[in-house]
Amino acid sequence: MIYLDNAATTRTAPEVVEAMLPYFSDCFGNPSSIYGPGSKAKKAVNEARHTIAESLGVKPEEIYFTAGGSEADNWALKATAEGYEHKGKHIITSKIEHHAVLHTCKYLEKRGFEITYLDVDTEGKVSPKAVEDAIRPDTILISIMFANNEIGTIEPIGEIGAIAKKHGVLFHTDAVQAYGQLPISAEALGIDMLSASAHKLNGPKGIGFLYIRNGLKLRSLIHGGAQERSRRAGTENVPAIVGFGAAVERAQRLMEEKQTKESMLRDYLIERIETEVPYCRLNGHRKDRLPNNVNFSFSFIEGESLLIMLDMKGICASSGSACTSGSLDPSHVLLAIGLKHEEAHGSLRLTLSEENTKEELDVVVEAVKSIVERLREMSPLYEDFLQQGQ
Ligand SMILES: *Cc1c(COP(=O)(O)O)cnc(C)c1O
């Protein structure tokens, strides 16, 4: 198997699994209990919180564990809306956000909030000037993702953070794809809230966090016990939190090495596909791009057929985002960067890890070449195109 879908999820690192195991058995206690196994669990949760806080340059009490990135995004937007609606009911976001943000915005629209969905340019960049121009006296929140999960474009987060601060508007970023891949300093970038998820950085699934800067008036997500400073009640998912901490420690330690290796593999893959497969287009920004993201559109083919045929050769990839597969709608991200419906349908996302090798990528390039050629041979559109050319 060649796994090239690390934007959908990553393999839990063996050292992460190892770190988690004792918290299912010996240290099974409830962190709220005062006896030995409980206090051990509590200590482990605190350590993970410290590791994560340190990675962002924030305080441990500003990290709130959630059940993942979607939950953190939902919480940030809905609770800001409720907590600040006395100031205004306008929110600014972009057209290329993850559905966890976009569908939450739709929900808020039904409840009387007004949302501005900013356009992006053809490489998927949000313009800081467009953000500033969209700010109104009743704007309470700007939510722009750190890096896009489909096309890998990295957004100008520092500039947007500075604009938000200048206008006294809160700034949330969905950093689920960027966290663990890129260095992030919440303070320097002017970030008030940040969402992350462990399973995108070799941690376990079902655990994430929302960073909430001290002083923000956000309502609790879950009412009950005093866990997470009473803002998200419920007994902590201790093994997952410990695993998240171990994954963050690992990601921080390997970040430079991973960046170097993955971006080299990424550029190799992009170069080979661009030179060897005719009628293709690279989606996303050439330079400001996640180190592990490759996204192409191939004219005259269906991405779904390409995926199925790649799967038969043991290659795991994606067409758009994992959340959109199963639906026939083309990716909203690819449409937002100006692709036509048929171009968006012919897209392929390959997201690498440091475990991939050049030899694997050679196999993938040969597979893509031959499958694209075969699919085009069966395509009436391609036939028309060839006849027009003659
Ligand atoms: C994966 C992802 C999410 C959702 O995270 P889950 O932990 O799977 O809920 C949100 N935003 C982005 C950008 C993602 O890539």
Side-chain angles (χ1 to χ4, degrees), residues 329-370:
D329 294 335
S331 144
H332 64 286
V333 176
L334 297 177
L335 295 181
I337 61 171
L339 267 64
K340 298 199 192 72
H341 276 237
E342 61 272 22
E343 292 170 319
H345 273 303
S347 80
L348 176 69
R349 180 184 73 181
L350 304 166
T351 43
L352 311 159
S353 82
E354 84 282 4
E355 286 176 12
N356 291 123
T357 62
K358 219 168 152 201
E359 290 66 36
E360 282 181 331
L361 300 187
D362 289 332
V363 171
V364 171
V365 172
E366 293 308 324
V368 169
K369 269 164 72 174
S370 71

Side-chain angles (χ1 to χ4, degrees), residues 150-151 266-284 286 289 293-299 301 303 306 318-320 334 339 343-350 365 368 372:
E150 293 189 36
I151 56 175
R266 173 197 66 190
D267 295 342
Y268 175 72
L269 188 53
I270 289 176
E271 153 129 42
R272 278 207 64 188
I273 291 179
E274 276 191 320
T275 50
E276 296 177 42
V277 185
Y279 312 116
C280 71
R281 167 199 154 127
L282 177 71
N283 297 315
R286 281 206 183 256
R289 184 176 197 103
N293 177 288
V294 175
N295 189 313
F296 274 101
S297 286
F298 302 101
S299 305
I301 67 151
L306 177 54
S318 151
S319 178
L334 297 177
L339 267 64
E343 292 170 319
H345 273 303
S347 80
L348 176 69
R349 180 184 73 181
L350 304 166
V365 172
V368 169
V372 166

Side-chain angles (χ1 to χ4, degrees), residues 47 53 116 152 189 248 263 320 329 335 363 369:
E47 275 171 18
T116 298
L189 297 171
V248 170
S263 56
D329 294 335
L335 295 181
V363 171
K369 269 164 72 174

Side-chain angles (χ1 to χ4, degrees), residues 7-9 66-73 96-101 145-150 174-178 195-200 204-208 321 323 349:
T9 197
T66 65
S70 300
E71 184 178 308
D73 284 342
I96 63 162
E97 299 299 311
H98 190 273
H99 280 146
V101 167
M145 69 200 321
F146 208 108
N148 184 268
N149 47 304
E150 293 189 36
D174 173 344
V176 174
Q177 287 294 329
S195 308
S197 180
H199 76 97
K200 303 289 176 79
K205 291 167 185 59
I207 187 78
S321 92
C323 321
R349 180 184 73 181

